[in-house]
Amino acid sequence: MALALKSSLSVLPSKQVPSISYLSCSNSFFKSLASVRFKSAVAMASLEVTQTRSISQTFSKLKEQGKVALIPFITAGDPDLTTTSKALKVLDSCGSDLIELGVPYSDPLADGPVIQAAATRALANGMNFDAVISMLREVIPELSCPVALFTYYNPILKRGIEKFMITLRDVGIQGIVVPDVPLEETENLRTEAAKHGIELVLLTTPTTPKERMKDIVEASEGFVYLVSSIGVTGARESVSLRVKSLLQDIKQATSKPVAVGFGISKPEHVQQIAGWGADGVIVGSAMVRLLGESTSPEEGLKELEALTKSLKAALP
Amino acid sequence: MATSISLRNPNVSLGTTFPIARFASPRSSIVTLRMPGESMACPPPLATTAPSAAVETVPIGERPDRFGRFGRFGGKYVPETLMYALSELETAFETLSKDQEFQRELDGILRDYVGRETPLYFAERLTEHYRRADGTGPHLYLKREDLNHTGAHKINNAVGQALLAKRLGKKRIIAETGAGQHGVATATVCARFGLECIIYMGAQDMERQALNVFRMRLLGAEVRAVHSGTKTLKDATSEAIRDWVTNVETTHYILGSVAGPHPYPMMVREFHTIIGKETRRQAAEKWGRAPDVLVACVGGGSNAMGLFNEFVNDKEVRLIGVEAAGHGIESGKHAATLTMGEVGVLHGAMSYLLQDDDGQIVEPHSISAGLDYPGVGPEHSYLKDIGRAEYYSVTDVEALDAFKQLSRLEGIIPALETSHALAYLEKLCPTLPDGTKVVLNCSGRGDKDVQTAIKHLQL
């Protein structure tokens, strides 16, 4: 059975995805069969097909269709992991093209008050990395879009870079963003990530000089993360006009997809950024706030759904 | 030849290119080191923590190399937004270290405003206290950093960085503070130079150190409470870094210790290295050669690096750092990073740090707020790993005893931080041969600690 499945999946033209991920897809296939959820084998196979699409492939597909990626970010474990797993499914069903999942950390240097508070709440609730991985093991097979992990460096170092990447690959995470590792220090990360078919996304910012930006976009995998403003995460009233010229500079330097993040919270923002030529928009704090600060998890999920739909509607 | 940036003798160019993840091969000097615990002559050491004596030749690499690394430690693990500011800072520092006018201005302020040079004081009664029954024992000297303006060594770095900020055209200064000493030093220099000053302090620390909060505000600084995380020093540092990420174009961040991303560990060390330079000259005047043993307390590690740096290449000089063991290292309530920590990344640098099984940073404990930091400067991590320096720890109770002891024996009330270094003399002195010259960095005075001491000491 596993062999048959494997051969039907082998039509995928993916160099990025190592063969071992086919096996893990087969495993999750059997697991889902075992759980009481009835889907047709065809539907399952197509689910598996889209699941193994990498981040780069996702962007390529969207470009063919003339679409701009919607990339929500939420913090794992806030208010709790059950809500997170539901939120992932909500985001997926509302048309998200890629989901960034943040791993809560005690000292998040790049995050503003909303995501900081989410991390503190999640940690206070006893959230830990193994729990996040267990949750993802169950949920990722049910998602149609890829998932990238957003984490600071120390939790990766604690486990060992190789072991960390193996864990990610085993649950089907496709990419990783590490905001406190600058280009000069990424060599080890990139080597291990590449070995296990995980794309390491790098960030460039308004303070990055052009020459350095070129080195960064050259090395970035999956997409290039353009930080929209000089600062930490957190919704802003408007998007800086600098983003337009920064996008132009990056587009001159690379043909890789560029997604803009930090501060984006409204349909008007995403529309504007898409109009300037971005290939994707990342919305974080606005979503995290809805989940973490609502009157109840159910209420939060409802609001999340509404926001995601309105953002999706504003994008080509 | 190992080189390091010196404000007086600049001879290394760090450059401003952005290298892509390649380690420069270190230009190193081969130095013959004495293994920790090996004494200069008989009698053999009594300390059980010392490995068996064997002279080993270990190369000391660049401190730091052009990527800001000390061996595998250090580096610049910060959000991309800060990378340009860090390289700008590095270039500015390198330029100013060759600038005679800047040197003169800095020397003038250190002399007339801070009150340098500080004395190297022979602690007669302390020495007598540790004299053995047969009349032998080490000679103990205190480097009086407590006599600086604001009562601690912190001001050396604050003054240097404030001048640097002015040269960079930055009018807004931010800093983090734990107990308030670095905050007070920063507020002091901002008042002196007319700079806007914002100090981040953990909400919990603000309660414990209300007097220092008042002092900072009196000096014209804005003190902002940090309510995130554990509400202590590590969270204040994270918040200061976030402020810098957001305001990097107008703001200079005066980091208070030899921690953080490159160039801070090197820069802060260089601003404090005057401690060691003065000590060398004073020791030569007093007894004709370098000290034999240097002892200093270690929180982030700035006063220790300030004293040690001058002597790192003097193989005969023993370097001893003393950390806070709080309630004891087995208790889990301590700040003994180099003894109990693991290597990781915190606040921009790869170094030893206190973390849990998930890689989350742990809140440390020490009676002395200045040592209450879960990380340590990367250069200390490096010196420990290559065996050039030794690190021990001392409990709250031992520190309080030493606090009382120096007050009684010498009429000097030391800071609780400094008291940790003093407490280690209990274990150290019995092992030292007759006439060993020990210089202990008296990094601060203890007036700020009397309220804490009142709670713990029965007098």
Side-chain angles (χ1 to χ4, degrees), chain A residues 100 150 177 201-204 223-227 259-262 282:
Chain A
E100 260 188 60
F150 185 105
V177 185
V201 175
L202 299 181
L203 301 100
T204 181
F223 64 95
V224 174
Y225 194 135
L226 171 60
V227 175
V260 182
F262 280 43
I282 301 161

Side-chain angles (χ1 to χ4, degrees), chain B residues 96-428:
Chain B
L96 287 175
S97 64
K98 300 189 187 100
D99 183 333
Q100 297 297 340
E101 207 196 296
F102 179 83
Q103 295 291 353
R104 263 198 302 274
E105 196 182 353
L106 182 58
D107 285 350
I109 295 166
L110 288 172
R111 190 185 56 241
D112 299 333
Y113 184 70
V114 173
R116 300 207 72 94
E117 61 178 45
T118 57
L120 182 63
Y121 165 72
F122 175 57
E124 192 183 338
R125 293 194 63 217
L126 192 67
T127 298
E128 194 188 312
H129 175 78
Y130 287 111
R131 197 167 291 140
R132 297 180 275 262
D134 64 358
T136 62
H139 299 163
L140 306 177
Y141 293 79
L142 298 175
K143 181 60 174 151
R144 301 295 306 279
E145 291 301 296
D146 59 304
L147 291 176
N148 286 320
H149 177 40
T150 65
H153 70 291
K154 295 283 181 198
I155 191 116
N156 300 326
N157 171 52
V159 157
Q161 286 205 46
L163 271 185
L164 177 66
K166 283 201 87 178
R167 287 300 185 101
L168 284 171
K170 305 263 168 111
K171 301 229 166 52
R172 184 176 178 271
I173 301 291
I174 59 175
E176 84 293 344
T177 196
Q181 282 310 105
H182 173 60
V184 167
T186 304
T188 301
V189 302
C190 287
R192 168 68 185 74
F193 293 108
L195 298 163
E196 183 189 353
C197 183
I198 290 145
I199 309 286
Y200 287 96
M201 194 170 184
Q204 212 190 100
D205 285 338
M206 282 177 75
E207 271 180 45
R208 310 193 262 188
Q209 306 284 337
L211 213 54
N212 269 342
V213 175
F214 177 76
R215 286 165 81 193
M216 286 183 265
R217 288 177 174 153
L218 182 60
L219 290 160
E222 180 191 337
V223 183
R224 290 191 187 166
V226 176
H227 293 281
S228 54
T230 57
K231 309 186 188 3
T232 55
L233 174 58
K234 72 167 182 74
D235 311 287
T237 309
S238 299
E239 194 60 28
I241 293 174
R242 287 181 204 113
D243 182 314
W244 203 33
V245 170
T246 311
N247 298 298
V248 67
E249 290 173 331
T250 58
T251 302
H252 178 64
Y253 174 25
I254 298 189
L255 225 165
S257 193
V258 287
H262 181 64
Y264 282 105
M266 171 201 71
M267 213 168 63
V268 175
R269 175 195 75 198
E270 289 305 311
F271 284 129
H272 282 303
T273 205
I274 188 158
I275 302 174
K277 286 189 188 302
E278 285 176 4
T279 301
R280 186 189 283 287
R281 208 182 17 81
Q282 290 163 325
E285 276 166 18
K286 288 188 187 321
W287 65 79
R289 57 182 176 77
D292 299 312
V293 185
L294 301 177
V295 185
C297 63
V298 175
S302 59
N303 90 84
M305 274 325 301
L307 182 62
F308 294 175
N309 186 48
E310 175 68 19
F311 299 98
V312 167
N313 292 333
D314 286 41
K315 54 186 177 162
E316 297 304 310
V317 179
R318 205 172 145 193
L319 310 176
I320 296 179
V322 186
E323 296 189 297
H327 294 172
I329 54 179
E330 303 306 328
S331 72
K333 293 213 154 294
H334 61 81
T337 313
L338 290 163
T339 311
M340 302 297 286
E342 287 169 51
V343 180
V345 164
L346 177 64
H347 298 144
M350 172 104 48
S351 194
Y352 280 96
L353 49 103
L354 296 175
Q355 53 184 300
D356 68 13
D357 290 333
D358 226 33
Q360 307 289 345
I361 310 301
V362 154
E363 190 191 345
H365 165 78
S366 169
I367 192 172
S368 66
L371 301 186
D372 208 357
Y373 182 62
V376 71
E379 192 164 6
H380 283 292
S381 296
Y382 177 62
L383 293 176
K384 174 191 151 90
D385 262 21
I386 63 171
R388 178 62 190 96
E390 313 154 45
Y391 297 91
Y392 307 103
S393 63
V394 139
T395 63
D396 287 350
V397 167
E398 289 168 328
L400 280 164
D401 284 342
F403 177 82
K404 206 164 99 179
Q405 181 173 269
L406 192 72
S407 306
R408 295 259 157 108
L409 288 176
E410 294 287 348
I412 298 172
I413 302 176
L416 282 173
E417 291 78 8
T418 312
S419 304
H420 285 73
L422 290 161
Y424 189 66
L425 293 175
E426 291 289 305
K427 297 196 180 79
L428 178 66

Side-chain angles (χ1 to χ4, degrees), chain A residues 128-135 159 167, chain B residues 358:
Chain A
N128 62 54
F129 185 69
D130 289 337
V132 176
I133 292 296
S134 298
M135 181 270 291
R159 282 173 180 77
T167 307
Chain B
D358 226 33

Side-chain angles (χ1 to χ4, degrees), chain A residues 106 158-159 182 185 187 207, chain B residues 21 69 76 81 342 358 360:
Chain A
S106 54
K158 175 74 189 180
R159 282 173 180 77
E185 310 284 0
E187 196 169 351
T207 59
Chain B
R69 298 199 195 101
K76 302 187 209 184
T81 309
E342 287 169 51
D358 226 33
Q360 307 289 345

Side-chain angles (χ1 to χ4, degrees), chain A residues 165-203:
Chain A
M165 294 302 170
I166 291 172
T167 307
L168 260 50
R169 181 207 63 204
D170 280 349
V171 296
I173 290 171
Q174 303 278 23
I176 185 167
V177 185
V178 190
D180 58 348
V181 177
L183 180 64
E184 294 84 342
E185 310 284 0
T186 53
E187 196 169 351
N188 287 345
L189 267 180
R190 251 182 295 149
T191 310
E192 289 303 325
K195 245 200 255 173
H196 304 289
I198 292 166
E199 296 180 293
L200 177 64
V201 175
L202 299 181
L203 301 100

